[in-house]
Every structure is written in structure tokens, then in C-alpha cells.
């Protein structure tokens, strides 16, 4: 994989391998050190073309795992968001925070458990999840994007009824408590923020509907990202994970899958465990009209920028299409 160093300044994205490529609206400058000038020019043209094709488009990113807990990777992610903003690409960030929730639950002495890969959410668990996700985690991400030169605002799914939910029923009969299924997304709110050039950073705590409008629901961040992408008819939705992508039984990366192929891989137990929710929400987003969904390795530095501008890269994860 090419190693990109991100340098952000006054509307310019600079990417450095062993030389710097400056891209702006009107000019491209290549400063050659040891790399072949022609190779650098090709890279610059490829990035410029990718950026131009996505200008004005919306990309939804599920942000979590190592990409969120590693300070170095977290800093790179926020730089990526700021850089893509400067290229005219609209970014929505939906974040998780499972480890932070678990740590706070232990600290305050609230017990929790998982059923079918989902955290059973009692009222006490939801209170802690809301405190953690909508507080320090959400505001910290928004502040870091701003520090990287971008614009961001932190939102809860309860703000302006952004994520309207009903109680999620587990297919295996488990009572998950106050785990929410997103029924409606307030896309008008998100679009108004995006049109101001600001990235919404969404914490996945939803609100009830009708008589339950004051109820809080704990929502799976992958589910929230997929549904938001589908409702916005986003160009892409990216799920940053802690593995290379979807793997076959020989642990080799499957680079492109259709919705039907994913169903078959779940049936024959090639896709198991925590990957099932990710591919399920990826396929749901594609079914709702998202052009493509990417399940990609968030452990790679600047994984977001690399995936968006150079998805031909050898570590580009899995693409899900119809």
C-alpha cells in the first residue's frame, strides 16, 4: 500500500510518498525527490479524477474499532475527513464506542451482557451508553475534525428526532431491552448541515416514536450508518473494521461481493460472528439505493482517504454491490 501523509492547508490536500503532490482547483504541483516523476503524476491524476467524480456527493462512514481507539489512527481519520471536505465531498460520521461504554459500566457498577452479538440494554445501560457516546466520545471526534482543519458538529440520534426507533426484536427470541431499530431518519437535518460544509458526527442513541418519543434507544452503530446512508441515497457507505474485509474460509480477502453472494456465504457459514451484522447492514444500504458499500480495514493509517481516493489499492477491503 502507498503510505500517504496528509498535509492540509487552505483548501489543499497534499499527499506525500517520497515527494509532495499539491492539488488545488486550478493547479497541480509535483516536487520530485527520489520517486519517478511520471509515477507521481499518474498518482496525482488518479486522485484528482477520483475527487472530481465525488465532488458534491455524500459518503457515510461508520467509525469504530482500532481506528477510533488508537490515538495515531484517530488523528489520521480526522485529518482524512477534513481533507475530503476540502475536496468538496460531504462526509457523515457515525461512531461506535463499545469499549468506552464497557469501561464506564464497570466503573459505575452496572452489569451488562451480550445476546446474539448485541448488548442487552436495560434502562441503566442505556443511560450510561448515552452519557458516554453523546458526551466525551461524540464531542471529542467533532473537536478533533475541527482541529485537523475541517468543520464538524456532534449530534445525538435524539437531537431533532434524527434517529426514530422502535424496539428491536431479536430473531432468536432474546429480549434485548432498549435496543432500537431505526425506522426513520431525519434527512432534512443532515442535509441542511452538510450543505453548510459541516460534517455531522452522529452518536447512535435513538429516540422513540409517538407516545414513546422521550424514550432513548441504544442503536447498533453499523445499523445506524447503513440506514442513514440509505435514506440519504449516499454515493458510498464505509464500515471501518479491525480486519481486512470479508474473508473466505481460507482467510483470503473477498474483494467484491453481490448481495446474493453474501446471503450464500452466510448460509454456508463462511461469514460468521461479528461480520454478519456488518454485511447485513451493508446490503441493506445497497438495497436502499446506496451505490456501493465498503467494508475496509480501519487499522491501516488514513484508511478513509485511501479507500475513497484510491480504492484500487491492494488493501482496499470488500466492496458490496447489487
Amino acid at each position: 500500500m502507498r503510505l500517504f501523509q496528509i498535509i492540509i492547508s487552505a483548501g489543499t490536500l497534499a499527499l506525500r510518498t517520497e515527494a509532495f503532490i499539491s492539488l488545488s482547483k486550478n493547479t497541480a504541483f509535483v516536487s520530485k525527490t527520489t520517486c519517478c516523476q511520471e509515477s507521481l503524476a499518474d498518482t496525482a491524476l488518479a486522485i484528482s479524477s477520483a475527487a472530481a467524480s465525488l465532488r458534491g456527493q455524500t459518503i457515510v462512514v461508520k467509525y469504530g474499532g482500532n481506528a477510533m481507539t488508537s490515538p495515531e489512527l484517530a488523528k489520521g481519520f480526522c485529518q482524512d475527513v477534513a481533507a475530503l471536505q476540502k475536496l468538496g465531498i460531504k462526509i457523515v460520521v457515525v461512531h461506535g464506542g463499545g469499549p468506552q461504554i464497557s469501561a464506564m459500566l464497570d466503573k459505575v457498577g452496572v452489569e451488562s451482557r451480550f445476546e446474539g452479538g448485541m448488548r442487552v440494554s436495560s434502562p441503566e445501560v442505556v443511560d450510561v451508553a448515552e452519557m458516554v457516546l453523546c458526551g466525551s466520545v461524540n464531542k471529542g471526534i467533532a473537536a478533533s475534525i475541527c482541529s485537523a482543519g475541517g468543520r464538524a458538529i456532534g449530534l445525538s440520534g435524539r437531537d431533532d428526532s434524527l434517529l426514530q426507533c422502535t424496539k428491536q426484536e431479536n430473531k432468536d427470541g432474546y429480549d434485548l431491552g432498549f435496543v432500537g431499530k431505526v425506522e426513520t431518519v431525519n434527512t432534512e437535518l443532515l442535509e441542511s448541515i452538510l450543505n453548510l460544509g459541516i460534517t455531522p458526527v452522529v452518536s447512535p442513541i435513538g429516540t422513540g416514536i409517538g407516545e414513546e418519543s422521550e424514550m432513548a434507544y441504544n442503536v447498533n452503530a453499523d445499523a445506524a450508518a447503513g440506514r442513514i446512508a440509505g435514506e440519504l441515497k449516499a454515493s458510498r457507505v464505509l464500515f471501518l473494521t479491525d480486519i481486512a474485509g470479508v474473508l473466505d474460509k481460507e482467510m483470503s480477502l473477498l474483494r467484491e461481493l453481490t448481495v446474493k453472494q453474501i446471503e450464500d456465504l452466510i448460509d454456508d457459514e463462511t461469514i460468521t460472528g461479528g461480520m454478519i451484522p456488518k454485511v447485513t447492514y451493508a446490503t441493506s444500504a445497497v438495497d436502499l439505493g446506496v451505490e456501493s458499500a465498503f467494508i475496509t480495514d480501519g487499522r491501516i493509517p488514513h484508511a478513509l482517504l485511501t479507500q475513497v481516493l484510491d480504492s484500487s489499492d491492494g488493501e482496499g477491503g470488500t466492496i458490496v454491490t447489487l
Side-chain angles (χ1 to χ4, degrees):
M1 185 192 88
R2 301 180 188 89
L3 178 61
F4 293 115
Q5 177 175 355
I6 312 306
I7 303 169
I8 303 166
S9 64
T12 299
L13 167 68
L15 303 173
R16 186 175 79 179
T17 51
E18 292 181 29
F20 294 100
I21 302 168
S22 258
L23 298 176
S24 67
K25 294 181 179 178
N26 303 312
T27 64
F29 171 77
V30 178
S31 175
K32 180 182 176 184
T33 55
T34 59
C35 290
C36 172
Q37 184 173 5
E38 185 175 330
S39 175
L40 289 172
D42 289 343
T43 301
L45 290 170
I47 292 171
S48 177
S49 176
S53 68
L54 289 168
R55 187 180 300 276
Q57 300 294 309
T58 299
I59 294 175
V60 178
V61 187
K62 185 305 180 100
Y63 176 47
N66 281 328
M68 189 169 155
T69 57
S70 161
E72 181 180 352
L73 293 175
K75 180 179 179 181
F77 173 83
C78 294
Q79 290 175 333
D80 291 355
V81 173
L84 292 170
Q85 279 187 343
K86 293 177 187 299
L87 292 172
I89 301 170
K90 301 175 181 179
I91 305 293
V92 177
V93 175
V94 182
H95 65 82
Q100 293 91 332
I101 293 172
S102 295
M104 184 59 72
L105 288 171
D106 289 341
K107 185 174 182 179
V108 299
V110 174
E111 294 185 2
S112 68
R113 71 183 196 279
F114 287 82
E115 296 285 2
M118 301 285 286
R119 189 190 298 272
V120 177
S121 297
S122 65
E124 294 79 14
V125 168
V126 175
D127 285 345
V128 171
E130 183 170 16
M131 176 179 66
V132 172
L133 294 180
C134 304
S136 59
V137 173
N138 181 264
K139 302 310 177 185
I141 296 168
S144 294
I145 293 171
C146 294
S147 294
R151 300 183 68 194
I153 186 168
L155 295 172
S156 160
R158 300 183 73 185
D159 292 334
D160 201 18
S161 300
L162 174 56
L163 300 177
Q164 299 172 44
C165 303
T166 56
K167 179 181 170 67
Q168 180 166 320
E169 301 294 335
N170 183 275
K171 65 177 183 179
D172 297 318
Y174 299 121
D175 183 356
L176 298 173
F178 294 94
V179 171
K181 175 185 177 184
V182 180
E183 300 289 353
T184 306
V185 176
N186 185 348
T187 55
E188 183 178 351
L189 171 64
L190 294 176
E191 287 169 349
S192 65
I193 294 171
L194 290 168
N195 288 336
L196 292 173
I198 300 171
T199 285
V201 179
V202 180
S203 63
I205 298 293
T207 188
I209 299 172
E211 294 181 357
E212 297 183 343
S213 61
E214 294 187 7
M215 185 174 293
Y217 283 100
N218 191 11
V219 181
N220 179 285
D222 292 316
R227 187 58 185 259
I228 287 172
E231 295 288 342
L232 286 173
K233 299 295 185 288
S235 174
R236 299 180 185 179
V237 57
L238 277 69
F239 299 88
L240 299 185
T241 71
D242 288 341
I243 61 174
V246 181
L247 308 179
D248 63 18
K249 290 184 177 179
E250 285 69 46
M251 304 304 289
S252 297
L253 178 65
L254 298 170
R255 299 193 180 279
E256 187 167 351
L257 293 170
T258 65
V259 171
K260 179 62 170 63
Q261 287 172 326
I262 285 175
E263 292 172 353
D264 293 341
L265 291 171
I266 292 174
D267 289 341
D268 72 11
E269 298 186 348
T270 298
I271 298 176
T272 60
M275 184 54 72
I276 291 178
K278 293 188 186 301
V279 297
T280 299
Y281 300 130
T283 57
S284 296
V286 172
D287 284 337
L288 285 169
V290 177
E291 293 178 19
S292 55
F294 292 75
I295 299 171
T296 196
D297 195 341
R299 300 169 301 178
I300 298 171
H302 299 294
L304 172 59
L305 195 68
T306 302
Q307 185 67 76
V308 171
L309 297 183
D310 188 29
S311 59
S312 64
D313 191 277
E315 297 178 86
T318 301
I319 304 172
V320 179
T321 61
L322 284 176

